[in-house]
Amino acid sequence: MATLSSAQWRSYSTNSFPPSSSNGRQNNHRLLSLSSPVLRKSPPAVFCLQQSQGNSRPNVVLMEDGAVVTPVNPAQKKEAAIQKLEDGLLSSSSISTEELKEAAGFDVNENESSVSITVVGASGDLAKKKIFPALFALYYEGCLPKHFTVFGYARSKMTDAELRNMVSKTLTCRIDQRENCGEKMDQFLKRCFYHSGQYDSQEHFEALDKKLKEHEGGRESNRLFYLSIPPNIFIDAVKCASSSASAASGWTRVIVEKPFGRDSESSAALTKALKQYLTEDQIFRIDHYLGKELVENLSVLRFSNLIFEPLWSRQYIRNVQLIFSEDFGTEGRGGYFDNYGIIRDIMQNHLLQILALFAMETPVSLDAEDIRNEKSHTRGGVTHPGYTDDKTVPKDSVTPTFAAAALFIDNARWDGVPFLMKAGKALHNRSAEIRVQFRHVPGNLYNRNIGTDLDQATNELVIRVQPDEAIYLKINNKVPGLGMRLDRSNLNLLYSTRYSKEIPDAYERLLLDAIEGERRLFIRSDELDAAWSLFTPVLKELEEKRTIPEYYPYGSRGPVGAHYLAARYKVRWGDLGMEE
Amino acid sequence: MTFTTHFSHCSTSCNDNSKLFSSSSRSSPAIHYRFSGSRRLCRYRINSANGNPLKALPSLPISESAADYDYDDNVETGDSHSTLSITVVGASGDLAKKKIFPALFALYYEDWLPQNFRVFGYARTKMTDEELRNMISRTLTCRVDKREDCEQKMNNFLGRCFYQAGQYSSEEHFAELDTKLKEKEGGKSSNRLFYLSIPPNIFVDVVRCASLRASSATGWTRVIVEKPFGRDSESSAELTKCLKQYLTEEQIFRIDHYLGKELVENLSVLRFSNRVFEPLWSRDYIRNVQLIFSEDFGTEGRGGYFDNYGIIRDIMQNHLLQILTLFAMETPVSLDAEDIRNEKVKVLRSMKTLQLEDVTLGQYKGFSKGGKLYPGYTDDPTVPKDSITPTFAAAALFINNARWDGVPFLMKAGKALHTKRAEIRVQFRHVPGNLYKRNFGTDLDKATNELVLRVQPDEAIYLKINNKVPGLGMRLDRSDLNLLYKARYPREIPDAYERLLLDAIEGERRLFIRSDELDAAWALFSPMLKELEEKRIVPELYPYGSRGPVGAHYLAAKHDVRWGDLSGDDS
């Protein structure tokens, strides 16, 4: 399989696709130019340590292949020892961390560097519901380094105690392990502090810096800023944080959440502005869908199972469907949404990211840059047929709350295979899934036994991201009994029956990855540019023409336009079939 | 060796009155409607065995009054003008009582039998019709999931059962049977099916008498025979030759009841009606195939027959080899019996003849556990003390064709093992250049995909895949994509005999073994079996209830295979 190594890739500065036919298709796709070769700082080795001894749990040892560790400071002897440990871990996963600790004769957590995590916008919804609980979960599982501090930063006046009080209301322990939960919570809260300040005030960030230094106590300091704030103050906060509160001796990283602009231009402007203060490898653009268990598993499924990879092409796959639905509307929070719409909110990022992971060629390695290279390679080839469907929204707003789109990838593997996306709010169910419909069996011996509807007789692989994580493969099977009647049955893997452990929230994984410098699940600037360049022309056209979306009732299965779009490409939505 | 003498009788009794049996069986119905009165649904069965064009088959609801109506394209089977007589020769035997009569009743209960059918028992014992009915009634059961009218249906069924006593080699007695059959047939066009549930040494006698004296004059006559079909190439060829003096090939229905098992039937469906499997079905992706049969009991006082055959002849050369050919065959031209059997024969003829070093043997020995003593094979009073008959065998077979060159097909069959099961395991190759190699630890064998078809017990299909263990970090393990029949299909699965009897009645030969298939199957095994006996190879002993002799592991290791059923994560 032709893969593009990092080195090769970086030698391309620009690349343009030949203009395709003019019937509504995009005319020009410019592939991003890449910034200078990325120099990656090395993350410190971080181990999750189970606090209660004796119970060696499967996730105690982290074995991210991508986290290649090279000592930051060769003068530190312990770093070298850790390196050895890491090697040991990679070569043999059966040795428990406890054994390793003993073998090395010191506590791996006794690292002189510290990590400060500053949540900018600490009083917001996301911070309360997701970020603090995720940090606590990581702490509970022993995944945070020994010297860590959590800072809340926001405009409201608050004391440390008030912040702790606020945070404590949303902390929970895993359902399946509650021991020492109260005690752990107290310990965690003690490490939480608050600093109030304006988002655009250098002075206030300087004050934060002082406070951070105090807690770091002269150790090597690493700082992570989580920007949980509206996009219009991103740049201000980044400017202040980088110029006044960057770590003096360790790394400084900034996590940003969507929206990353609302089209190519605004996204490019944002990136440009961010890059005035940060280098590429300091920016961690989060797409929390990439932290979902089954999205992570997508690559495992493809690349570690012989039976799937041969089928992963236009030769066997008829179409791919990426489906997202929510069973509630904007519910009074439509202000932000109305400015973006469902395409920007879900499709251009979450679904497109999953598509890229699904369709990419085999990467050189699991290294972040290799994977992201393959993803942007994939993205570069996607063309939009210029027909986006079916949007709905009340009053005089023409902002779509539902959209379906057909995308195509013009490469050898995927030529002609429709990738259908569908995303909507206020639908009949809440789900996110990937459906892979395989082709018909050529010259099927059992055609007579299947009846007239050949579509019913094709295989389908379904990866259900949420809720109730599951993987199943629809196969044709003989109905037991006399005679020969076929029907579709499922080869099933339901996570809740197979894995009794609670699945960690996507934010836990992503926060941990950011702390470890693992970039695999974060979005690189060029990926972002490519993603926007796919959607921007259509979004512009929609807005210029004020295309009116089709209405659908709250709680319904969405507008029928989605079926017509699918029918145009000879596709049938898998989630609305009779059997589902 | 002792056995061939049984057939010497045949050559003397063979005479020139060949082909007296009518051979109209070729024209079995193409379409066969049956209406189940209780559910008012049209159940249909498609028989494409003889290439007749198939009609569209709408599911018609029909009126209650027509519920008992049998529609048939063909005059021969099922309609009110023709009759069907099923004669079970050896009616007082175990198989007849446990399997054949219950299967016939199940077919009747589900309305699969034609309207005018009768069942005759034939054996040496003196018995009245009433006594036969009494005997049969004890083993009849209704399906667990539908018991309505069960009692009444049983009585109706028993009312159609009759008995005729007679010697197996007496033409006179078969002539009497013929008279009785004619009486019940009442002058209508008659089809006759004989089920030979008798020891192999009297096969030919019965066939001779039945064909000469009790063939149908107006319809078809078919004979079902069960294994053993000889004990090597020569004796099998001799048996076939003798049978063919009285019967044509298409009158002979050699039953292998494993072919009637639900999951064996499903094997072809899985392969040929799913796009996701066929591309993987070759040496490019499949590392090895394992066919495993085990019983958790020994001969238990019935070793007399077994001792003369051994596990290779009893299980491998027929059941497992049949499954292997179905698994490995090329896509047939159609689902017609002849097309399928042609492909199966091609597989057999492409196979490498078994050598002694491809086989490992075992015999179970006594074992006491928890105060209970489990007897060894030679402790069985019906088995000679110095018997070296294998009760366990493992073998490696190879198919020398483009699809399967170099892929080991491993078979394993044994009695008195720790579990009772029959399954097919397909182990796929390693992922080349696996990106996740580090996440598996050292045992790459653990990281290959495996497709398992469990034929019995608890029918299931599952595909072992590598999956990320949910949670932080990246650890992989094997999980199953599962299809457990019990959970998916609440209906009871019919016994293999039901399907096979019905097929024989309908003239569907797909699941029966053709003479040339049988020859080819014996040709693979005969030389090795001969050598075993000549050299008196002593089997490795293994304790009753154990996992079998370790020799099986060494045989597998020789071909870089690891038995899937003993791998620890699967029990």
Side-chain angles (χ1 to χ4, degrees):
Chain A
M1 233 147 282
T3 55
L4 217 50
S5 80
S6 321
Q8 282 174 310
W9 177 252
R10 287 193 187 108
S11 68
Y12 289 103
S13 57
T14 56
N15 188 2
S16 54
F17 277 73
S20 42
S21 61
S22 56
N23 59 342
R25 290 202 176 204
Q26 296 274 150
N27 289 331
N28 249 325
H29 287 284
R30 286 198 62 239
L31 254 190
L32 36 129
S33 60
L34 278 131
S35 53
S36 54
V38 181
L39 290 171
R40 297 176 55 204
K41 270 192 209 164
S42 335
V46 178
F47 297 90
C48 297
L49 278 183
Q50 182 67 12
Q51 303 289 315
S52 58
Q53 300 281 325
N55 172 20
S56 88
R57 296 157 49 78
N59 65 345
V60 168
V61 181
L62 287 177
M63 295 184 294
E64 314 277 10
D65 276 358
V68 180
V69 178
T70 47
V72 177
N73 183 354
Q76 284 185 302
K77 285 182 283 179
K78 282 176 184 169
E79 285 282 358
I82 286 167
Q83 173 72 58
K84 263 187 216 155
L85 271 178
E86 181 96 354
D87 290 343
L89 278 175
L90 291 174
S91 60
S92 140
S93 59
S94 57
I95 305 169
S96 78
T97 320
E98 279 78 10
E99 282 172 271
L100 279 167
K101 262 165 62 186
E102 258 172 52
F106 70 98
D107 187 340
V108 286
N109 253 5
E110 218 170 79
N111 192 312
E112 288 304 309
S113 70
S114 65
V115 173
S116 307
I117 302 151
T118 306
V119 181
V120 182
S123 49
D125 238 29
L126 181 74
K128 277 190 277 191
K129 280 193 195 149
K130 292 288 185 181
I131 305 172
F132 289 116
L135 286 170
F136 172 63
L138 289 175
Y139 171 71
Y140 188 103
E141 303 237 353
C143 289
L144 291 183
K146 191 176 176 189
H147 301 292
F148 82 93
T149 326
V150 176
F151 268 87
Y153 185 99
R155 281 173 306 196
S156 352
K157 294 268 172 231
M158 234 194 291
T159 64
D160 290 346
E162 279 166 337
L163 174 86
R164 286 168 192 169
N165 191 34
M166 183 192 85
V167 170
S168 70
K169 278 181 219 141
T170 54
L171 298 191
T172 53
C173 289
R174 295 248 193 280
I175 296 164
D176 52 351
Q177 41 164 162
R178 309 194 133 278
E179 49 181 282
N180 304 329
C181 188
E183 193 189 318
K184 288 267 188 175
M185 274 190 196
D186 289 342
Q187 284 167 3
F188 176 77
L189 289 171
K190 268 187 214 147
R191 296 177 178 229
C192 295
F193 303 92
Y194 185 73
H195 185 78
S196 128
Q198 294 301 311
Y199 296 123
D200 55 357
S201 158
Q202 300 267 16
E203 243 170 81
H204 293 166
F205 273 90
E206 270 166 37
L208 172 70
D209 184 55
K210 252 185 218 140
K211 258 194 178 166
L212 289 172
K213 279 208 179 105
E214 235 169 71
H215 286 282
E216 286 156 5
R219 295 187 189 87
E220 187 193 87
S221 62
N222 298 308
R223 293 183 182 175
L224 178 66
F225 291 88
Y226 196 119
L227 302 196
S228 178
I229 47 175
N232 55 330
I233 49 176
F234 268 5
I235 305 291
D236 285 337
V238 165
K239 184 177 72 181
C240 299
S242 101
S243 46
S244 305
S246 276
S249 51
W251 48 254
T252 303
R253 293 175 189 148
V254 179
I255 298 181
V256 282
E257 279 256 10
K258 70 173 182 182
F260 310 122
R262 64 188 310 283
D263 53 27
S264 288
E265 291 75 31
S266 54
S267 167
L270 176 65
T271 298
K272 200 178 142 208
L274 287 176
K275 291 219 176 155
Q276 284 188 302
Y277 309 104
L278 302 170
T279 60
E280 174 71 29
D281 62 334
Q282 288 184 286
I283 306 170
F284 284 73
R285 288 187 195 83
I286 220 167
D287 183 326
H288 69 270
Y289 259 73
L290 294 184
K292 299 257 180 204
E293 188 59 43
L294 278 170
V295 176
E296 268 258 88
N297 198 30
L298 189 57
S299 298
V300 174
L301 219 51
R302 258 189 86 179
F303 297 122
S304 79
N305 289 293
L306 185 71
I307 53 169
F308 292 124
E309 185 53 23
L311 306 172
W312 225 255
S313 74
R314 63 197 297 275
Q315 204 180 345
Y316 298 106
I317 292 178
R318 194 158 49 118
N319 66 71
V320 180
Q321 304 177 9
L322 304 151
I323 297 168
F324 170 95
S325 66
E326 275 177 351
D327 55 0
F328 50 89
T330 49
E331 324 281 325
R333 299 180 59 239
Y336 157 79
F337 182 83
D338 196 55
N339 190 28
Y340 288 89
I342 196 85
I343 299 179
R344 291 186 178 91
D345 200 42
I346 304 292
M347 277 194 176
Q348 182 270 343
N349 38 49
H350 303 325
L351 296 189
L352 191 61
Q353 282 293 325
I354 295 174
L355 186 153
L357 271 178
F358 180 93
M360 69 180 182
E361 298 295 312
T362 313
V364 175
S365 74
L366 294 177
D367 191 80
E369 294 312 309
D370 284 331
I371 287 184
R372 301 201 291 185
N373 279 338
E374 289 305 332
K375 277 165 65 191
S376 40
H377 189 50
T378 304
R379 211 76 54 64
V382 175
T383 63
H384 201 286
Y387 181 83
T388 319
D389 261 26
D390 316 320
K391 309 98 208 159
T392 315
V393 115
K395 289 168 209 165
D396 68 334
S397 166
V398 292
T399 305
T401 60
F402 177 99
L407 294 92
F408 290 86
I409 303 175
D410 291 339
N411 67 15
R413 189 187 281 264
W414 296 116
D415 188 15
V417 178
F419 284 78
L420 266 74
M421 284 183 183
K422 190 166 76 167
K425 285 176 176 291
L427 294 170
H428 72 300
N429 69 355
R430 185 176 93 83
S431 87
E433 59 188 21
I434 306 163
R435 288 178 172 267
V436 186
Q437 293 189 343
F438 291 90
R439 292 194 182 277
H440 300 112
V441 175
N444 195 335
L445 286 171
Y446 292 89
N447 267 354
R448 286 167 175 168
N449 308 86
I450 289 162
T452 47
D453 193 354
L454 274 178
D455 270 350
Q456 295 271 12
T458 60
N459 296 124
E460 188 170 352
L461 176 69
V462 182
I463 298 167
R464 193 162 65 215
V465 179
Q466 66 184 31
D468 301 330
E469 290 85 349
I471 301 168
Y472 54 96
L473 179 62
K474 287 176 184 268
I475 56 165
N476 294 307
N477 211 55
K478 181 179 167 304
V479 178
L482 303 170
M484 177 63 77
R485 226 162 44 87
L486 306 196
D487 75 350
R488 287 226 285 193
S489 288
N490 294 342
L491 288 174
N492 262 319
L493 171 60
L494 188 63
Y495 271 51
S496 61
T497 47
R498 170 69 176 88
Y499 302 104
S500 52
K501 269 193 65 188
E502 199 178 334
I503 296 172
D505 189 79
Y507 281 92
E508 291 176 40
R509 189 189 321 279
L510 293 167
L511 272 164
L512 183 62
D513 281 354
I515 292 168
E516 295 186 336
E518 165 60 74
R519 290 169 180 79
R520 190 161 40 95
L521 302 178
F522 295 91
I523 300 157
R524 211 161 58 180
S525 300
D526 56 342
E527 277 186 78
L528 183 64
D529 290 349
W532 272 122
S533 71
L534 282 177
F535 279 87
T536 299
V538 145
L539 287 167
K540 281 234 170 83
E541 205 179 329
L542 280 178
E543 274 158 22
E544 274 158 21
K545 293 188 178 162
R546 284 191 60 83
T547 308
I548 296 173
E550 185 182 341
Y551 287 103
Y552 61 95
Y554 193 113
S556 71
R557 288 162 174 252
V560 292
H563 291 289
Y564 287 96
L565 175 73
R568 235 168 86 157
Y569 300 101
K570 296 206 173 67
V571 177
R572 192 183 282 240
W573 291 106
D575 61 330
L576 299 179
M578 299 257 287
E579 3 168 4
E580 292 300 316
Chain B
M1 284 162 287
T2 51
F3 188 78
T4 43
T5 59
H6 294 313
F7 290 109
S8 59
H9 175 62
C10 143
S11 41
T12 59
S13 61
C14 288
N15 58 40
D16 292 323
N17 297 329
S18 55
K19 301 199 177 178
L20 280 184
F21 278 27
S22 106
S23 58
S24 54
S25 55
R26 183 180 302 158
S27 41
S28 63
I31 301 170
H32 201 162
Y33 289 84
R34 293 270 177 266
F35 294 118
S36 158
S38 53
R39 284 188 297 157
R40 300 182 63 193
L41 283 172
C42 169
R43 195 194 297 125
Y44 57 84
R45 181 182 169 81
I46 300 176
N47 257 340
S48 48
N50 46 19
N52 287 2
L54 285 157
K55 293 178 181 173
L57 298 172
S59 283
L60 302 169
I62 56 153
S63 70
E64 204 68 51
S65 60
D68 250 351
Y69 176 73
D70 277 329
Y71 173 76
D72 218 312
D73 255 10
N74 196 302
V75 197
E76 278 181 282
T77 318
D79 76 332
S80 53
H81 300 295
S82 76
T83 61
L84 172 66
S85 304
I86 302 156
T87 306
V88 181
V89 183
S92 51
D94 238 29
L95 181 74
K97 277 190 276 190
K98 280 195 196 149
K99 292 289 186 182
I100 305 172
F101 290 116
L104 286 170
F105 171 64
L107 289 175
Y108 169 72
Y109 188 101
E110 304 229 355
D111 289 319
W112 289 94
L113 293 182
Q115 201 181 354
N116 293 317
F117 82 93
R118 269 168 205 87
V119 176
F120 289 83
Y122 186 98
R124 283 174 305 195
T125 334
K126 293 266 174 232
M127 237 194 290
T128 64
D129 291 345
E130 223 26 68
E131 281 166 335
L132 175 85
R133 287 168 191 168
N134 195 27
M135 182 192 85
I136 293 174
S137 68
R138 276 182 233 134
T139 54
L140 297 191
T141 53
C142 289
R143 294 249 192 279
V144 178
D145 52 350
K146 44 170 171 163
R147 313 192 130 277
E148 51 181 281
D149 302 328
C150 188
E151 202 68 11
Q152 193 195 326
K153 288 266 192 174
M154 272 192 198
N155 288 333
N156 290 348
F157 176 78
L158 290 171
R160 291 165 177 245
C161 295
F162 304 92
Y163 185 74
Q164 170 74 36
Q167 294 299 312
Y168 295 124
S169 55
S170 159
E171 293 192 19
E172 222 174 288
H173 293 167
F174 273 89
E176 282 169 28
L177 173 69
D178 186 56
T179 314
K180 210 168 183 184
L181 288 171
K182 279 209 179 103
E183 196 183 293
K184 302 291 178 198
E185 285 160 3
K188 287 176 183 151
S189 150
S190 62
N191 297 312
R192 293 184 182 173
L193 178 66
F194 290 88
Y195 196 118
L196 304 197
S197 176
I198 46 174
N201 55 328
I202 48 174
F203 270 4
V204 179
D205 281 337
V206 170
V207 166
R208 176 175 49 90
C209 300
S211 103
L212 296 178
R213 299 298 173 198
S215 277
S216 163
T218 50
W220 50 253
T221 302
R222 293 173 190 153
V223 179
I224 298 180
V225 282
E226 278 255 12
K227 69 170 183 183
F229 309 122
R231 65 189 309 282
D232 53 25
S233 288
E234 292 74 33
S235 53
S236 167
E238 178 68 18
L239 176 64
T240 299
K241 195 179 138 207
C242 288
L243 288 175
K244 289 220 177 155
Q245 286 191 299
Y246 308 105
L247 302 170
T248 61
E249 174 71 28
E250 60 194 354
Q251 287 182 286
I252 307 170
F253 285 73
R254 286 188 197 82
I255 219 167
D256 183 324
H257 69 270
Y258 260 73
L259 293 183
K261 300 257 180 202
E262 189 58 44
L263 275 167
V264 176
E265 268 260 87
N266 199 30
L267 187 57
S268 299
V269 174
L270 218 52
R271 259 189 86 180
F272 298 122
S273 79
N274 289 292
R275 187 69 164 137
V276 293
F277 292 124
E278 184 54 23
L280 305 172
W281 225 256
S282 75
R283 64 196 297 274
D284 290 337
Y285 298 106
I286 291 178
R287 194 158 48 117
N288 66 71
V289 180
Q290 303 177 10
L291 304 151
I292 297 167
F293 170 95
S294 67
E295 276 176 351
D296 55 1
F297 50 89
T299 50
E300 324 282 326
R302 300 181 59 237
Y305 157 79
F306 182 84
D307 195 59
N308 190 28
Y309 288 89
I311 196 84
I312 299 178
R313 292 186 177 90
D314 200 41
I315 304 292
M316 277 193 176
Q317 181 271 345
N318 38 48
H319 303 324
L320 296 188
L321 190 61
Q322 283 294 323
I323 295 175
L324 187 154
T325 55
L326 272 178
F327 179 94
M329 69 180 181
E330 298 296 312
T331 312
V333 176
S334 78
L335 294 177
D336 278 11
E338 297 317 314
D339 288 332
I340 290 178
R341 298 197 290 186
N342 285 343
E343 293 304 333
K344 283 168 67 190
V345 171
K346 272 159 69 182
V347 173
L348 290 170
R349 295 184 50 208
S350 312
M351 286 175 76
K352 194 183 114 196
T353 309
L354 265 177
Q355 305 296 312
L356 208 52
E357 67 259 28
D358 299 329
V359 183
T360 179
L361 307 174
Q363 188 186 79
Y364 65 94
K365 61 181 181 189
F367 182 65
S368 92
K369 194 174 124 190
K372 200 178 170 211
L373 182 75
Y374 295 90
Y377 177 65
T378 51
D379 298 333
D380 190 320
T382 57
V383 169
K385 289 283 160 236
D386 62 343
S387 169
I388 54 164
T389 303
T391 61
F392 175 100
L397 294 94
F398 291 87
I399 305 173
N400 294 326
N401 66 15
R403 190 187 283 265
W404 297 117
D405 187 15
V407 178
F409 284 77
L410 265 74
M411 286 182 180
K412 190 166 74 167
K415 285 176 176 291
L417 294 170
H418 71 301
T419 164
K420 173 173 131 62
R421 72 161 85 176
E423 60 187 19
I424 307 163
R425 288 178 171 265
V426 187
Q427 293 189 343
F428 291 91
R429 291 194 181 277
H430 300 110
V431 175
N434 196 333
L435 288 170
Y436 293 89
K437 212 177 286 173
R438 285 173 174 168
N439 307 87
F440 286 116
T442 46
D443 192 354
L444 272 179
D445 269 350
K446 293 226 126 163
T448 60
N449 296 123
E450 188 169 353
L451 176 68
V452 183
L453 306 182
R454 194 163 62 215
V455 178
Q456 65 185 31
D458 298 330
E459 290 87 347
I461 301 170
Y462 55 96
L463 182 60
K464 287 177 181 270
I465 57 164
N466 294 306
N467 210 52
K468 181 179 166 306
V469 177
L472 304 170
M474 177 64 76
R475 224 168 47 90
L476 306 196
D477 74 351
R478 286 227 285 193
S479 288
D480 296 342
L481 288 174
N482 257 318
L483 171 61
L484 187 62
Y485 271 50
K486 244 190 333 208
R488 170 70 177 85
Y489 303 104
R491 280 191 56 197
E492 204 176 330
I493 295 172
D495 189 78
Y497 282 92
E498 292 176 38
R499 187 189 322 280
L500 293 166
L501 273 164
L502 183 62
D503 281 353
I505 291 167
E506 297 189 336
E508 165 62 78
R509 289 168 182 80
R510 189 161 41 94
L511 302 179
F512 295 90
I513 297 156
R514 212 162 59 180
S515 300
D516 56 344
E517 258 188 293
L518 184 63
D519 289 349
W522 274 122
L524 284 176
F525 280 85
S526 283
M528 183 270 297
L529 287 167
K530 281 228 172 83
E531 207 178 332
L532 276 183
E533 276 158 20
E534 275 159 20
K535 296 191 176 161
R536 286 193 59 84
I537 307 279
V538 178
E540 185 182 340
L541 296 178
Y542 62 95
Y544 193 117
S546 71
R547 289 164 175 249
V550 293
H553 292 288
Y554 287 97
L555 178 74
K558 208 165 91 179
H559 301 286
D560 272 335
V561 177
R562 191 181 282 245
W563 290 106
D565 61 330
L566 300 179
S567 66
D569 64 330
D570 205 300
S571 48

